[in-house]
Amino acid sequence: MVFRGAQEELSQFRLGLMQGLSIFLGYLPAAVAFGVLGASTGFSHFQVAAMSIWVYAGASQFMALNLYQSGVSAPEIILATFVLNLRHVLMSTVLSKRIQGNRALRCLLSYGITDETFVLTTISSSMGPGSEEAGREITAARFAGVAIIAYSGWVIGSILGTVFADILPQLAMKSMGISLYAMFIALLIPSMKKSGRVAVVALLGAAINWMLLSELKLSAGWSVVTATIVASACGGAFCYKGGDQ
Amino acid sequence: MKIYLLIAGMALVTYIPRLLPMILPENIKFPGWLDRWLQQVPYAALGALIFPGVLASVDGQQPWLGLLGGVTAGLLALAGVNLLIVLAGAIAVVAIALSII
């Protein structure tokens, strides 16, 4: 019994690694770009690596370099980072209801929450590819697999970027820019086919985000989180007890 | 030293929002409406993350490249192929387009 449990965990972990490979491929070029920029901003290689290891927040890290270079003080940069990352409260709340496992483990796993690991683990199934059953529950082992490979992509890419500015040819860097979006779309299409409401909520999220960005000129961070809250509230309001998913 | 303090501060404020909801008591029950709302969050986030970001994903000056990659991914996903094949296909098509222009 114990043995079977361990087997199960291992296969969930492997599934997570496989699914997370798509995030790895997406983070790698972005992280290389961060490393290159960091090294040219006057951060040592070690400091660039330390930031990716400890902060692990893509957009905030780019912003921090930018602000630091313009002479903005550290407390102000930290405050801006805090605001930009508040959206993770929402994602972590959703995950706290769905990741199984004890609290210590879940606290550790929460370090791996990013926009990408959040949508990947909540939308893809724990049952493996081709499964119809998109279970609500996310096994800790699968989340760990996704989180670890995504994190490695970010950290390895950052280090490579500081050392070899041209580790990835320009063509590869640019075309890999599509990776995360291809992953998002690959998650979206099957869920839209399954449920009409999912399709409406996702389209609404996209439409609101677009409007906030182009009309109200909101920053990308605020615009995504506002669109997410509004669109999901609309979806929730029209969701009946026992309705689809 | 100043940079390390900056990194430490940033590390703290990025981990706290990720951690906080996880230390809530596990048996806390959300009201039904909140649960239904939270269930929709991943799909709403997905839509907002895709668009219009995808257009600038390859080259901010040439949104059609991002669109091309996105449509390729969409078609492959519709065909029901594996996630990594969707990725490889989209990257390949964008790379080909980039090397032609």
Side-chain angles (χ1 to χ4, degrees):
Chain A
M1 204 54 194
V2 171
F3 181 67
R4 234 181 82 194
Q7 283 277 19
E8 186 70 23
E9 301 259 299
L10 191 63
S11 84
Q12 284 287 307
F13 182 69
R14 280 215 198 98
L15 174 64
L17 289 178
M18 283 305 291
Q19 292 178 326
L21 198 54
S22 56
I23 304 181
F24 180 95
L25 291 174
Y27 280 180
L28 203 65
V32 168
F34 174 75
V36 173
L37 191 67
S40 71
T41 311
F43 279 54
S44 72
H45 294 185
F46 192 75
Q47 286 164 338
V48 170
M51 193 185 268
S52 285
I53 289 169
W54 293 108
V55 179
Y56 187 38
S60 307
Q61 292 182 217
F62 277 102
M63 179 196 69
L65 289 185
N66 202 303
L67 294 179
Y68 183 83
Q69 207 169 25
S70 354
V72 175
S73 75
E76 283 175 283
I77 299 177
I78 293 169
L79 184 66
T81 304
F82 180 61
V83 171
L84 193 58
N85 285 279
L86 274 176
R87 67 181 188 285
H88 289 136
V89 172
L90 182 65
M91 298 179 187
S92 182
T93 306
V94 173
L95 287 170
S96 74
K97 289 275 150 199
R98 295 180 56 176
I99 296 182
Q100 302 156 321
N102 66 44
R103 193 185 296 170
L105 179 62
R106 298 188 319 161
C107 287
L108 181 66
L109 291 179
S110 75
Y111 195 80
I113 299 175
T114 64
D115 296 351
E116 291 76 19
T117 58
F118 169 72
V119 291
L120 179 66
T121 53
T122 49
I123 294 176
S124 65
S125 165
S126 288
M127 307 300 204
S131 159
E132 284 301 306
E133 185 56 45
R136 298 251 301 118
E137 243 116 68
I138 298 166
T139 58
R142 183 168 73 100
F143 190 88
V146 171
I148 287 171
I149 192 155
Y151 185 67
S152 335
W154 185 249
V155 172
I156 293 171
S158 305
I159 295 171
L160 289 178
T162 59
V163 186
F164 317 98
D166 46 6
I167 180 93
L168 287 176
Q170 202 56 34
L171 179 68
M173 281 281 273
K174 278 185 100 168
S175 35
M176 282 170 82
I178 198 71
S179 306
L180 293 175
Y181 294 91
M183 184 268 289
F184 292 149
I185 291 167
L187 290 176
L188 183 64
I189 301 279
S191 347
M192 281 173 83
K193 276 206 277 192
K194 243 184 301 183
S195 151
R197 201 188 52 237
V198 162
V200 172
V201 170
L203 290 175
L204 201 58
I208 296 172
N209 184 43
W210 188 29
M211 196 195 72
L212 293 174
L213 284 170
S214 59
E215 297 300 320
L216 299 184
K217 310 284 178 214
L218 245 58
S219 72
W222 278 113
S223 152
V224 166
V225 73
T226 313
T228 300
I229 291 172
V230 176
S232 57
C234 294
F238 292 105
C239 163
Y240 308 103
K241 225 185 248 176
D244 45 342
Q245 261 212 77
Chain B
M1 191 58 211
K2 207 178 124 208
I3 289 182
Y4 287 110
L5 283 176
L6 172 69
I7 293 174
M10 286 177 71
L12 207 63
V13 299
T14 47
Y15 186 42
I16 289 172
R18 287 166 168 152
L19 177 67
L20 268 184
M22 292 290 180
I23 54 182
L24 289 174
E26 269 166 76
N27 49 13
I28 196 167
K29 269 264 185 254
F30 289 164
W33 62 268
L34 184 56
D35 245 350
R36 287 195 290 276
W37 181 351
L38 291 179
Q39 269 174 44
Q40 301 302 314
V41 165
Y43 304 106
L46 198 53
L49 286 170
I50 292 173
F51 196 81
V54 64
L55 298 179
S57 63
V58 181
D59 184 336
Q61 302 307 311
Q62 298 183 82
W64 67 273
L65 282 166
L67 190 65
L68 177 71
V71 169
T72 308
L75 292 175
L76 289 170
L78 271 176
V81 301
N82 178 288
L83 177 62
L84 291 175
I85 300 184
V86 174
L87 226 72
I91 295 175
V93 167
V94 170
I96 292 167
L98 276 169
S99 34
I100 292 172
I101 57 171

